[in-house]
């Protein structure tokens, strides 16, 4: 059973960088042919795919967030991370990490088979 757990600060000040980590247990982030995504849900809105890192280390970003987003991984710790720079209150959301088979539409949320529980991040001074 694969389990994902998000961790990071729950409060970030405007203009700062939001940093989150997803720890994976019960499976490896290098297992072919999976990709590991960051997804968020702002209050009162739908899910928004932010980016993904695949089993081979290749990275895909949402075009709308690409300029502010960085995804990396530490295979020795079975973790992958998200950094979102220059945050504003509009970046307030519940942030999720999740697993999907690589390729295709990363915004097809029915294709994700494992999700973290989500972590609330609030951007406020």
């Amino acid at each position: 059973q694969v389990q994902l757990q998000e961790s990071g600060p729950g409060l970030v000040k405007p203009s700062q960088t939001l940093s989150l980590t997803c720890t994976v247990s019960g499976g490896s982030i290098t297992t072919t042919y999976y990709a590991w995504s960051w997804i968020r849900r702002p209050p009162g809105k739908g899910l928004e795919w932010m980016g993904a890192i695949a089993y081979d280390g290749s990275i895909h970003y949402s075009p709308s967030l690409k300029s502010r987003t960085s995804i990396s991984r530490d295979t020795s710790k079975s973790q992958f991370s998200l950094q979102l720079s220059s945050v504003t209150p509009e970046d307030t959301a519940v942030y999720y990490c999740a697993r999907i088979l690589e390729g295709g539409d990363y915004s097809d949320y029915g294709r994700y088979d494992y999700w973290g529980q989500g972590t609330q991040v609030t951007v406020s001074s």
Side-chain angles (χ1 to χ4, degrees):
Q1 178 80 357
V2 176
Q3 294 183 314
L4 297 87
Q5 179 66 59
E6 305 89 350
S7 59
L11 181 64
V12 182
K13 288 182 167 52
S15 80
Q16 293 187 342
T17 296
L18 179 162
S19 297
L20 296 175
T21 296
C22 182
T23 301
V24 177
S25 59
S28 171
I29 59 174
T30 59
T31 298
T32 53
Y33 297 96
Y34 289 102
W36 306 83
S37 282
W38 285 101
I39 298 162
R40 68 181 181 179
R41 187 192 293 272
K45 298 183 179 180
L47 294 169
E48 179 183 22
W49 177 72
M50 302 180 69
I53 185 164
Y55 67 98
D56 60 357
S58 59
I59 302 173
H60 313 276
Y61 292 112
S62 166
S64 64
L65 294 169
K66 185 175 183 178
S67 64
R68 299 196 291 130
T69 306
S70 178
I71 294 174
S72 60
R73 70 178 185 177
D74 185 336
T75 57
S76 68
K77 295 181 179 179
S78 199
Q79 293 177 333
F80 62 105
S81 298
L82 170 74
Q83 289 195 317
L84 182 67
S85 64
S86 304
V87 298
T88 72
E90 284 65 45
D91 294 308
T92 294
V94 178
Y95 286 75
Y96 300 92
C97 53
R99 190 182 81 164
I100 190 172
L101 283 172
E102 192 200 18
D105 182 359
Y106 287 108
S107 297
D108 183 355
Y109 302 112
R111 293 180 56 223
Y112 287 87
D113 58 356
Y114 290 102
W115 292 74
Q117 65 183 24
T119 187
Q120 172 70 46
V121 178
T122 300
V123 179
S124 175
S125 55

